[in-house]
Amino acid sequence: MRPIVDPRQGDVEDDASSTKRRTLISLAGSLLAEISLPKLIAAWAILIVLPALLLGAGPLLASIWISSVSSKAAEIYTGLLAPILLAILIAIGWFGGKPLWRLIEANFWSLNALAVQPAYALSREALRQLAERFLPADVDQRSRDFARAASAAVAGLLICGVSVWIIALAWPNTRWTGSLADLSSPSNLVHIALHNSVVIVAAYLAVAGLVWGLADTVMPQPRDLPRYPPTPSTGRIWRVAHLSDIHVVGERFGFRIEGGRSGPRGNERLKQTLAKLDAEHKERPLDIILITGDITDAGRSPEWAEFIDALSPYPHLAALTVILPGNHDLNVVDRANPARLDLPTSPKRRLREIRALSTMASVQGKRVHVVDDATGKLGATLEEFLEAHAEKIAEFSDRGTVRLSWDLAGLWPEAFPMVLPPEKEDGIGVILLDSTAETHFSFTNALGLVTEEQTRAIEKVVAQFPNARWILALHHHMVEYPKAAKAMSERIGTALVNGTWFVRRMQRLSGKAIVMHGHRHIDWIGMCGGLVIVSAPSPVMDVTNDRDTYFYIHRLGIGTDGHLALLEPKRIDLPADNDSPVAAPMPN
């Protein structure tokens, strides 16, 4: 008996968060209708209102303290004040310096992600879209690069101009010095503090817009890789299977958040991928299987369990596999409701981090190392690193309390980067980065960030192995691809908010390292600033079961110039399942 509605094919509920089957306007409408207002108000208070008040009130309170309090206190404690303050600063630096720096850095880039990056990226890509319509189809690469660079410069100037206009509007209501009398009128103090905050943030936006535009203008523009070098006649060739965005679901007939019924159901396409890898490995051994994030669709325990279960029949492949986290593994608060948010005090994100770390330890725990912060050299294996916290991890996973979450706050940032060292001093290693920017809101889960701490660690590890070559692996893309687009929605990606900065830092590794990432589900191989960049297509996203997908096995070798060279890859096609009924048609 055939059911009227086949439950294996899903229904409209499976499309609740799908960007492939619903427009952004529709998703935004659902978000506004379903969002928890008490949580939203609390989150705004913690993340926006309180910092804004503190920022704006800072100059007033500082002037009050300097003019009225410090002189009197100094008279009483003339001999004690300086050593007491010094002891306090030493204590803060000793016990809380690194967590405090991480908090400052995360909040600094969060401000950019909230205010600068969206406005700048939208302006830049709109200008590029307009410019490309007027460029002849056969225009040379130099002219195309000039148009892209000019668009970045103009976008920076626009952000600066709008910010200066906002400063002019808010300035009459600001005041930067105060007296003790101001403390008697909290409402007036709040009014002044908010206007001060607007001016401070707008001033930062004016400077940041110019800096971002200038940085993008003078940086070499990304280009498609012009050609693959010839295969060296001598020397080692490494075969690296690059997968990304496999989005494992926890149900046999489950659909993915972004694709809904416009994507494959269940995990059969992943199993097909592993079977292809097994056949390739038997024909000619692979050296590395790299999965650059979004291993799961929402970071849930059943999804990680399904991933381990799919890999378990292939222990010889598991022994070559290294994985890193993506935004879907950490930042999806609720896979069925994009309006769902957690407060910054919630332990739920820490729980998703623990799930990811535990799975990474089971896959690669004996082979990858964390970086010792004191020496900058490779330290314990991931397995040894986590074993030191095993009891607290187990208790937190069982109870999930806020206190236990705080106790494990340093575990995630200290685990990255993870390093798969080269087998020989002139071999190839893999540096696995965490590029997920912390968020507590499913609808804004996709932005990326590589911290200064991880970047310094990369440089120290590379210096430790002067003759080795490296794969730098992360989830997010560093630059927007130089591809013409039909619509604006195709242009705006969710790249690293500090991508330009990160490219500049990594340029010094040109010739020694190749960058591999995922996130966009797009097949692209190119260069930027001398760095070769490889984007992995997703073997499971954006198509229904009746469509083919593919992935690549890349070949890396040492070129005649001594540089690490990306040779022509082998494309592995995953044929459609023509026996599977096609999902419901796309809505008009």
Side-chain angles (χ1 to χ4, degrees):
M1 177 180 176
R2 182 178 178 180
I4 295 174
V5 177
D6 188 343
R8 296 170 299 175
Q9 293 305 110
D11 52 40
V12 68
E13 193 172 41
D14 294 292
D15 302 328
S17 302
S18 172
T19 56
K20 308 300 179 192
R21 297 190 61 85
R22 299 183 64 192
T23 65
L24 291 178
I25 294 176
S26 173
L27 285 171
S30 298
L31 184 150
L32 292 174
E34 298 174 8
I35 198 166
S36 168
L37 290 178
K39 273 192 174 181
L40 182 62
I41 292 169
W44 276 351
I46 295 172
L47 296 174
I48 299 176
V49 176
L50 183 59
L53 288 174
L54 292 175
L55 183 65
L60 285 173
L61 296 177
S63 69
I64 292 171
W65 184 85
I66 291 171
S67 63
S68 304
V69 180
S70 61
S71 58
K72 296 180 181 179
E75 292 176 5
I76 301 172
Y77 300 107
T78 302
L80 297 177
L81 184 59
I84 289 174
L85 288 175
L86 180 61
I88 291 172
L89 289 174
I90 292 174
I92 291 173
W94 181 263
F95 294 106
K98 181 160 289 188
L100 183 62
W101 168 251
R102 288 174 183 153
L103 181 64
I104 292 170
E105 184 182 21
N107 280 279
F108 171 77
W109 288 112
S110 293
L111 173 62
N112 281 276
L114 179 68
V116 184
Q117 199 266 354
Y120 169 72
L122 183 63
S123 302
R124 182 193 65 199
E125 294 305 316
L127 289 167
R128 287 178 178 173
Q129 179 83 349
L130 184 64
E132 286 176 2
R133 289 187 178 181
F134 292 98
L135 286 174
D138 58 347
V139 69
D140 62 273
Q141 186 64 51
R142 180 175 295 182
S143 299
R144 193 174 296 277
D145 287 349
F146 177 79
R148 293 177 62 84
S151 299
V154 174
L157 289 171
L158 284 174
I159 297 296
C160 179
V162 171
S163 300
V164 170
W165 175 67
I166 292 172
I167 291 172
L169 292 178
W171 186 263
N173 295 302
T174 62
R175 183 150 55 88
W176 305 99
T177 60
S179 64
L180 288 173
D182 290 316
L183 301 179
S184 63
S185 178
S187 61
N188 186 52
L189 188 63
V190 167
H191 181 265
I192 295 171
L194 287 175
H195 283 86
N196 286 358
S197 180
V198 168
V199 168
I200 292 171
V201 172
Y204 171 73
L205 294 183
V207 175
L210 284 178
V211 169
W212 279 43
L214 178 64
D216 274 359
T217 301
V218 301
M219 188 180 76
Q221 295 300 310
R223 294 185 176 186
D224 295 338
L225 194 68
R227 62 184 180 277
Y228 295 106
T231 301
S233 57
T234 60
R236 175 74 186 277
I237 302 295
W238 293 277
R239 294 198 346 131
V240 179
H242 184 195
L243 304 176
S244 195
D245 299 86
I246 57 178
H247 287 260
V248 175
V249 292
E251 309 87 18
R252 181 181 175 190
F253 295 103
F255 291 93
R256 289 159 179 81
I257 295 172
E258 292 179 30
R261 289 176 292 166
S262 294
R265 66 186 184 190
N267 299 316
E268 292 305 313
R269 193 59 63 99
L270 170 62
K271 294 175 182 177
Q272 188 182 6
T273 301
L274 293 172
K276 285 281 190 179
L277 282 173
D278 183 48
E280 281 290 325
H281 183 63
K282 288 176 180 176
E283 180 181 334
R284 185 180 176 189
L286 298 167
D287 294 287
I288 299 167
I289 300 172
L290 172 63
I291 309 179
T292 50
D294 278 3
I295 289 108
T296 65
D297 203 43
R300 301 298 302 273
S301 291
E303 296 170 347
W304 286 114
E306 285 286 338
F307 170 70
I308 294 172
D309 187 60
L311 194 58
S312 60
Y314 307 101
H316 49 292
L317 297 183
L320 304 174
T321 299
V322 286
I323 64 177
L324 58 86
N327 56 293
H328 275 257
D329 301 316
L330 299 176
N331 286 342
V332 177
V333 178
D334 187 334
R335 72 184 311 273
N337 181 9
R340 172 80 180 276
L341 61 87
D342 275 339
L343 296 179
T345 54
S346 170
K348 296 295 179 63
R349 191 180 195 274
R350 188 86 65 240
L351 190 58
R352 294 191 288 274
E353 292 172 351
I354 293 301
R355 290 176 191 144
L357 282 174
S358 297
T359 306
M360 283 185 264
S362 69
V363 173
Q364 62 213 35
K366 289 182 170 64
R367 294 177 289 122
V368 301
H369 295 254
V370 300
V371 179
D372 184 89
D373 184 61
T375 65
K377 297 183 177 180
L378 297 191
T381 64
L382 177 61
E383 187 177 80
E384 293 166 343
F385 171 73
L386 293 178
E387 186 61 34
H389 307 273
E391 290 186 8
K392 284 187 177 180
I393 290 173
E395 186 180 2
F396 172 68
S397 297
D398 184 52
R399 296 174 57 194
T401 64
V402 174
R403 182 186 63 80
L404 291 170
S405 174
W406 289 344
D407 289 344
L408 296 172
L411 197 63
W412 182 263
E414 290 170 10
F416 290 93
M418 298 177 191
V419 181
L420 179 68
E423 294 181 355
K424 299 179 180 179
E425 64 174 17
D426 60 348
I428 191 167
V430 184
I431 300 177
L432 305 166
L433 303 174
D434 166 38
S435 63
T436 54
E438 185 169 344
T439 181
H440 306 277
F441 193 13
S442 284
F443 197 68
T444 59
N445 76 78
L447 284 173
L449 167 71
V450 175
T451 62
E452 166 71 18
E453 189 176 353
Q454 289 189 83
T455 307
R456 288 199 314 269
I458 293 170
E459 295 165 345
K460 291 176 180 177
V461 168
V462 171
Q464 187 181 343
F465 298 89
N467 298 318
R469 305 297 189 274
W470 297 94
I471 296 172
L472 298 182
L474 69 163
H475 181 58
H476 293 77
H477 53 296
M478 303 183 297
V479 294
E480 297 295 343
Y481 309 141
K483 289 179 175 287
K486 295 179 181 178
M488 271 294 294
S489 59
E490 298 176 15
R491 305 192 69 100
I492 304 297
T494 44
L496 296 178
V497 293
N498 60 341
T500 301
W501 170 85
F502 186 64
V503 169
R504 291 179 181 277
R505 285 288 290 266
M506 293 299 101
Q507 279 181 311
R508 65 193 70 178
L509 302 183
S510 175
K512 295 193 68 171
I514 286 176
V515 179
M516 292 188 173
H517 70 82
H519 191 50
R520 287 296 298 274
H521 312 164
I522 293 174
D523 168 13
W524 181 72
I525 300 175
M527 296 188 70
C528 183
L531 281 173
V532 175
I533 303 173
V534 180
S535 172
S538 170
V540 304
M541 293 295 289
D542 305 333
V543 297
T544 48
N545 285 16
D546 61 313
R547 301 282 300 277
D548 296 348
T549 55
Y550 63 96
F551 64 92
Y552 287 109
I553 294 177
H554 293 283
R555 299 184 305 138
L556 307 180
I558 307 301
T560 55
D561 56 0
H563 290 177
L564 180 62
L566 181 70
L567 309 176
E568 187 169 2
K570 181 176 182 179
R571 172 169 161 157
I572 307 298
D573 290 305
L574 303 171
D577 179 7
N578 292 316
D579 293 330
S580 174
V582 180
M586 284 287 291
N588 294 325

